[in-house]
């Protein structure tokens, strides 16, 4: 089956002094989404950017902003990001006391909603909310920092979630994107795609390149080649 494939460059590795220029460059290169990593120094041991920065980059691009919340609690910030122009909002289920309610609140605010699973987080959080999800994000590193190495146990986990999404859709369920985040590079994106991901976060491989547009094109071309040669 061929499915749409998307790259979501993570601005965590961008030059924060030139964010507007950086996001325009990746949009011009053809990027499908902007991945926006929110860390609160509580749920994860790092502190990044909030809704004000989301609102500041919003006028610079038209592509969707994919907000990955690494925060606890979730609900108040999720709604602030919806107001700041986010299009997709994902959160970690163990950071919310009421997963069903958080997912519904994100959708009610006009955004696509999703759950994020750390490498060690079990998939049973999916059990009763499949119909509330637009996206499932599997972490292939422990969250908190860019530039880490891909954890191989993410591959069988991706296959398990791909199977679950396919069964859900075969029974008439809504489409759900399968996103992967952490350590995605030119040399492993082919096998990650083969495991079932359709949306690939890439931070250091895009913004660590001398020219982010070129970094994006390099990884997207490799993904297209891998998908074409299946
Ligand atoms: C890690 C973040 C990732 C990170 C990915 O907590 O969620 O989105 O920016 O960066 P790379 O692609 O460098 O692993
Ligand atoms: Zn992320």
């Amino acid at each position: 089956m061929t499915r749409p494939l998307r790259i979501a460059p993570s601005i965590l590795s961008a030059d924060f002094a030139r964010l507007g220029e950086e996001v325009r460059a990746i949009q011009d290169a053809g990027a499908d989404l902007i991945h926006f990593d929110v860390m609160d120094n509580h749920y994860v041991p790092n502190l990044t950017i909030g809704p004000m920065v989301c609102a500041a980059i919003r006028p610079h691009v038209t592509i969707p902003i994919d907000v990955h919340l690494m925060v606890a609690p979730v609900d108040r910030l999720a709604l602030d990001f919806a107001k700041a122009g986010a299009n997709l909002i994902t959160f970690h289920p163990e950071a919310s006391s009421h997963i069903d309610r958080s997912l519904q609140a994100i959708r009610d605010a006009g955004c696509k909603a999703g759950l994020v699973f750390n490498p060690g987080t079990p998939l049973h959080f999916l059990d009763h909310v499949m119909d509330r999800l637009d996206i499932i994000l599997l972490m292939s590193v422990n969250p908190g920092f860019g530039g880490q190495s891909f954890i191989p146990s993410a591959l069988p986990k991706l296959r398990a979630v791909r199977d679950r999404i396919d069964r859900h859709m075969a029974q008439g369920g809504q489409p759900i994107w399968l996103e992967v985040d952490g350590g995605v590079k030119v040399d492993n994106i082919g096998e990650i795609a083969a495991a079932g991901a359709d949306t690939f976060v890439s931070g250091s491989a895009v913004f660590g390149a001398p020219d982010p547009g070129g970094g994006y094109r390099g990884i997207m071309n490799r993904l297209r080649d891998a998908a074409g040669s299946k």
Side-chain angles (χ1 to χ4, degrees):
M1 188 185 91
T2 50
R3 57 180 80 93
L5 298 171
R6 309 168 198 92
I7 305 264
S10 166
I11 57 171
L12 187 62
S13 296
D15 178 349
F16 278 22
R18 299 168 45 250
L19 264 191
E21 222 176 294
E22 297 272 79
V23 294
R24 287 198 304 273
I26 54 153
Q27 173 170 281
D28 290 349
D32 302 276
L33 303 166
I34 289 169
H35 187 77
F36 192 106
D37 284 307
V38 184
M39 304 183 186
D40 68 350
N41 190 41
H42 169 69
Y43 178 70
V44 287
N46 199 357
L47 182 66
T48 58
I49 42 180
M52 287 172 67
V53 177
C54 184
I57 64 167
R58 180 70 283 176
H60 290 266
V61 283
T62 54
I63 54 176
I65 300 179
D66 166 31
V67 171
H68 172 193
L69 292 178
M70 288 160 272
V71 305
V74 169
D75 292 9
R76 159 81 199 283
L77 266 181
L79 297 183
D80 287 350
F81 272 102
K83 287 188 201 130
N87 304 91
L88 299 90
I89 300 178
T90 59
F91 63 91
H92 291 249
E94 67 278 26
S96 170
S97 308
H98 304 283
I99 299 169
D100 180 89
R101 183 159 69 201
S102 301
L103 289 168
Q104 190 56 43
I106 292 169
R107 280 182 161 183
D108 287 348
C111 297
K112 291 185 187 297
L115 291 180
V116 192
F117 293 82
N118 287 333
T121 306
L123 294 173
H124 63 67
F125 286 106
L126 293 173
D127 284 352
H128 306 288
V129 295
M130 286 294 279
D131 60 340
R132 293 251 192 260
L133 296 171
D134 301 296
I135 185 160
I136 297 170
L137 170 51
L138 294 193
M139 295 304 299
S140 37
V141 298
N142 287 295
F145 303 93
Q148 304 182 75
S149 298
F150 186 89
I151 295 176
S153 64
L155 292 172
K157 205 169 176 186
L158 279 168
R159 286 191 280 270
V161 177
R162 167 52 56 200
D163 185 52
R164 217 161 154 153
I165 292 173
D166 289 349
R167 277 188 281 123
H168 175 75
M169 289 175 61
Q171 288 160 11
Q174 82 288 0
I176 302 175
W177 295 4
L178 179 50
E179 186 174 32
V180 60
D181 185 359
V184 177
K185 307 279 182 198
V186 170
D187 61 6
N188 62 9
I189 197 165
E191 62 173 336
I192 300 169
D198 52 43
T199 304
F200 304 80
V201 176
S202 183
S204 45
V206 171
F207 288 105
D211 135 50
Y216 165 79
R217 282 188 294 271
I219 198 158
M220 191 39 145
N221 289 342
R222 178 70 196 99
L223 176 59
R224 290 203 180 110
D225 287 352
S229 62
K230 254 200 304 190

